[in-house]
Amino acid sequence: FNCQNNLLGSLNLLVPALQRPGTRFLFTSSIAVYGAAQVPMTEAMTPHPEDPYGIAKYAFELELAAAHRTHGLDYVVFRPHNVYGEGQNVADRYSNVVGIFVRQALAGQPLTVFGDGTQTRAFSHVSEVAPVLARAFDTPAAWNTVYNLGADTPYTVLRIARAVQRAVGREVDIRHLAPRDEVEHAWADHGRAHAAFGRPEPVDLDDGVARMVAWVRR
C-alpha cells in the first residue's frame, strides 16, 4: 500500500509531467528520509531512511533528480514534518498523532501513547507550511533544491497529549502502549527554507491545537 501510493502514485504523475514542456513538479517528501540519530536534520545530511515510508519518499526524490538531469524537469522537494491543523483528516488512523489524539479525546476515548511518551517531534501547524508550498512555483531561485519545512521547536508526545486535553476542556485519560520501533527524536533545521522563502509566523502549540479542535467540532 505504501509503495503503491507514495512511489508508484508519484511516478504516475511524473511521467505525464515529462511529456508536457514547461511543467514543474513540487513534491512533499518527509524528514523520514533522514532516519535516526541525525538531529537537527539538515539537507546536507545523507538520508538513511529506516522504514518503508521514508524509503518510498526518498526513492521518488531520486527519481525527480534524475528527471531533471535527463529531461530538464524543474522541481522543488519539501521535507515537511508532523503537520497538523484545520482541514486534516482526523479519521485517518495513520495520520499525525495530533489528529489521532483529537479524535480520541472528542470521542471520550483515552489517548494512546506508545512507550513513555518522551519521543520528540517538531509539530508544525499547517499555516507554517502551506503558504511556502504555494510560493515555490513562483520562486525560480528555489527550483531543483530540497528544503526542510516546518516548526523549529520540538515537543514530547506527552506535551501534545496535555495540549489536546486543555483544548477539549477535560482530563482525558492517557493509555501507555508497548513502544514502537520508531525514530525517537526527529526535528529539523530550516535555515535553507527561511533564506529562500522567509520565516513563517510561528504558531504557539496550544493555540494551534485549540484552533484544530474548534475546527473539528464545527
Side-chain angles (χ1 to χ4, degrees), residues 100-120:
I100 293 172
F101 282 174
V102 168
R103 183 186 73 249
Q104 291 173 332
L106 292 178
Q109 300 170 348
L111 310 184
T112 51
V113 174
F114 293 95
D116 61 8
T118 59
Q119 311 95 301
T120 54

Side-chain angles (χ1 to χ4, degrees), residues 12 35 53-54 72 86 92 125 132 143 146 150 155 168 178 184 186 215:
N12 286 339
Y53 176 76
E86 302 90 314
D92 183 356
H125 189 266
V132 178
W143 299 346
V146 175
Y155 294 97
V168 299
E184 186 174 1
W215 173 82

Side-chain angles (χ1 to χ4, degrees), residues 38-70:
Q38 300 202 79
V39 290
M41 298 163 172
T42 71
E43 297 90 346
M45 292 176 173
T46 301
H48 292 288
E50 296 193 347
D51 57 65
Y53 176 76
I55 291 168
K57 288 291 192 179
Y58 187 49
F60 190 69
E61 288 189 20
L62 297 178
E63 292 280 4
L64 280 175
H68 175 67
R69 289 193 304 270
T70 58

Side-chain angles (χ1 to χ4, degrees), residues 82-103:
N82 303 100
V83 182
Y84 73 97
E86 302 90 314
Q88 187 173 38
N89 177 15
V90 296
D92 183 356
R93 295 185 298 120
Y94 303 102
S95 68
N96 184 288
V97 68
V98 180
I100 293 172
F101 282 174
V102 168
R103 183 186 73 249

Side-chain angles (χ1 to χ4, degrees), residues 146-180:
V146 175
Y147 298 94
N148 295 333
L149 185 61
D152 294 315
T153 305
Y155 294 97
T156 66
V157 171
L158 283 178
R159 173 68 175 82
I160 289 294
R162 289 194 292 271
V164 171
Q165 288 173 330
R166 282 192 288 270
V168 299
R170 60 178 180 270
E171 288 292 321
V172 185
D173 289 339
I174 295 176
R175 177 188 298 163
H176 288 269
L177 305 178
R180 293 189 301 186

